[in-house]
């Protein structure tokens, strides 16, 4: 798919990895629907920047833990731009908790944001496309190959399963793929003074000896959008972390 003049919705695009992916799509000529929950300031500045550069964009707020709000997102984007060709399910809950620390509420929010929302958005997009070409990319985590964080890990593994089921259900018109990240950006909860130490620790566990960059993630996503003969696939952007013995 050529991204020029296509409409792309990137969830969680006000800041961090989602913002870089959306920026890359905007640079490639796509109209950008910038979804956000709390990062309204980042989303607003980003939309203004795209428009100032001659592109098209708008911002859409939704708490994806809320089913009603999630269900309104695709209709809102289609109403604004008239179509939707590319969906990047990037927004995510991240909780570093194992089984004994996981409450029912933790479980519910991880499943709601990381699995149910991508399902609702993908289904609504497919209904809108009605057999026309489309692309869906789901952002997951290499750690699903080695469970560590309980509800988060289960939810990302389920998102991988959703990727393959959607790929089968929506073929041949829509290609659906999973991009499983390694250490790209440190969690926002990390104390700044510990960032350097944590970066070094993560790099030392990564065969390619460094953290990845959001720009590298965005390039892989662009490739999956441009090539139409890959579906139901998982691409690891993890510097080989899943091969590490530590
Ligand atoms: N960063 C990494 O190194 C890394 C590693 C492995 C996997 N990943 C995956 O790659 C993707 C991007 O990573 P990231 O670190 O940039 O993600 P992140 O900062 O943890 O989260 C991205 C965005 O998700 C949105 N979000 C969270 N809860 C939401 C809710 N209830 N409703 C709507 N939006 C919600 C937030 O938007 P607002 O700020 O607008 O509230 C947040 O900015 C994620 O899917 C993540 O799991 C990242």
């Amino acid at each position: 798919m050529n991204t020029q003049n296509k409409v792309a919705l990137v969830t969680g695009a006000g800041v961090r990895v989602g913002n870089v992916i959306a920026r890359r799509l905007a640079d490639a000529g796509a109209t950008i629907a910038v979804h956000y929950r709390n990062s309204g300031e980042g989303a607003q500045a980003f939309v203004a920047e795209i428009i100032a550069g001659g592109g098209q964009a708008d911002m859409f707020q939704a708490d994806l833990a809320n089913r009603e709000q999630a269900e309104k997102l695709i209709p809102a984007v289609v109403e604004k731009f008239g179509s939707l060709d590319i969906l990047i399910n990037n927004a995510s809950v991240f909780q570093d908790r194992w089984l004994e620390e996981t409450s029912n509420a933790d479980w519910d929010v991880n499943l709601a944001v990381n699995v149910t929302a991508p399902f609702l958005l993908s289904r609504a997009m497919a209904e809108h496309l009605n057999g026309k070409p489309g692309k869906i990319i789901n952002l997951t985590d290499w750690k699903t190959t080695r469970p560590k964080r309980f509800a988060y890990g289960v939810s990302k593994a389920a998102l991988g399963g959703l990727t393959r089921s959607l790929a089968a259900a929506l073929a041949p018109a829509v290609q659906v793929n999973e991009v499983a990240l390694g250490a790209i950006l440190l969690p926002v909860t990390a104390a700044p003074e510990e960032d350097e130490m944590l970066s070094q620790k993560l790099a030392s566990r990564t065969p390619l000896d460094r953290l990845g960059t959001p720009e590298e993630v965005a390039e892989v996503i662009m490739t999956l959008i441009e090539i139409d003969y890959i579906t139901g696939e998982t691409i690891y952007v993890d510097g080989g972390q899943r091969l590490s013995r530590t």
Side-chain angles (χ1 to χ4, degrees), residues 12 15-18 35-39 62-65 89-94 113 139-141 152 156 181-186:
V15 289
R16 290 171 58 84
V17 176
H35 159 266
Y36 69 102
R37 177 196 47 173
N38 294 336
S39 297
D63 178 355
L64 296 177
N89 285 309
N90 165 83
S92 176
V93 172
F94 174 77
V113 177
L139 276 284
T140 67
D141 197 313
Y152 169 81
K156 288 295 189 180
L181 306 191
I184 308 293
L185 294 179
L186 301 182

Side-chain angles (χ1 to χ4, degrees), residues 65-109:
N66 179 312
R67 192 174 285 223
E68 212 175 297
Q69 290 187 32
E71 283 180 329
K72 286 184 179 155
L73 183 54
I74 301 282
V77 172
V78 172
E79 191 184 332
K80 169 73 191 185
F81 294 121
S83 64
L84 177 64
D85 311 285
I86 299 163
L87 167 64
I88 313 291
N89 285 309
N90 165 83
S92 176
V93 172
F94 174 77
Q95 287 179 341
D96 193 359
R97 293 179 200 156
W98 192 238
L99 176 60
E100 48 293 344
E101 305 152 320
T102 301
S103 68
N104 289 356
D106 291 338
W107 178 263
D108 287 347
V109 76

Side-chain angles (χ1 to χ4, degrees), residues 45 49 57 116 141 158-159 174 193 196 210 216 221 228:
E49 201 185 314
T116 304
D141 197 313
L159 184 54
V174 181
E193 61 277 13
E196 189 51 39
R210 65 172 175 86
E216 287 170 315
I221 288 175
D228 296 328

Side-chain angles (χ1 to χ4, degrees), residues 21-243:
I21 295 167
R23 232 166 244 283
R24 180 67 182 82
L25 282 160
D27 289 347
T31 292
I32 309 296
V34 179
H35 159 266
Y36 69 102
R37 177 196 47 173
N38 294 336
S39 297
E41 221 173 283
Q44 194 170 22
F46 178 44
V47 166
E49 201 185 314
I50 295 175
I51 292 170
Q56 282 198 74
D58 205 346
M59 54 201 273
F60 300 84
Q61 186 175 31
D63 178 355
L64 296 177
N66 179 312
R67 192 174 285 223
E68 212 175 297
Q69 290 187 32
E71 283 180 329
K72 286 184 179 155
L73 183 54
I74 301 282
V77 172
V78 172
E79 191 184 332
K80 169 73 191 185
F81 294 121
S83 64
L84 177 64
D85 311 285
I86 299 163
L87 167 64
I88 313 291
N89 285 309
N90 165 83
S92 176
V93 172
F94 174 77
Q95 287 179 341
D96 193 359
R97 293 179 200 156
W98 192 238
L99 176 60
E100 48 293 344
E101 305 152 320
T102 301
S103 68
N104 289 356
D106 291 338
W107 178 263
D108 287 347
V109 76
N110 274 276
L111 272 287
V113 177
N114 297 355
V115 192
T116 304
F119 160 68
L120 294 171
L121 298 181
S122 302
R123 188 178 60 179
M125 181 188 176
E127 279 167 14
H128 155 71
L129 284 172
N130 195 19
K132 283 187 290 176
K135 297 278 181 179
I136 299 174
I137 315 263
N138 296 323
L139 276 284
T140 67
D141 197 313
W142 78 274
K143 278 244 162 72
T144 55
T145 62
R146 203 181 300 174
K148 191 173 174 217
R149 298 170 176 109
F150 201 82
Y152 169 81
V154 171
S155 69
K156 288 295 189 180
L159 184 54
L162 178 67
T163 302
R164 288 178 286 282
S165 292
L166 282 171
L170 302 181
V174 181
Q175 290 85 56
V176 188
N177 290 293
E178 171 188 10
V179 179
L181 306 191
I184 308 293
L185 294 179
L186 301 182
V188 276
T189 47
E193 61 277 13
E194 288 169 12
D195 280 6
E196 189 51 39
M197 238 163 50
L198 184 56
S199 291
Q200 283 176 11
K201 193 168 103 183
L202 289 168
S204 73
R205 289 178 183 167
T206 306
L208 297 187
D209 206 22
R210 65 172 175 86
L211 271 61
T213 67
E215 287 74 15
E216 287 170 315
V217 175
E219 283 313 313
V220 170
I221 288 175
M222 285 306 294
T223 303
L224 286 171
I225 291 169
E226 282 160 6
I227 295 173
D228 296 328
Y229 203 57
I230 301 175
T231 198
E233 186 56 271
T234 304
I235 308 289
Y236 289 91
V237 185
D238 70 344
Q241 246 190 314
R242 74 199 178 286
L243 312 171

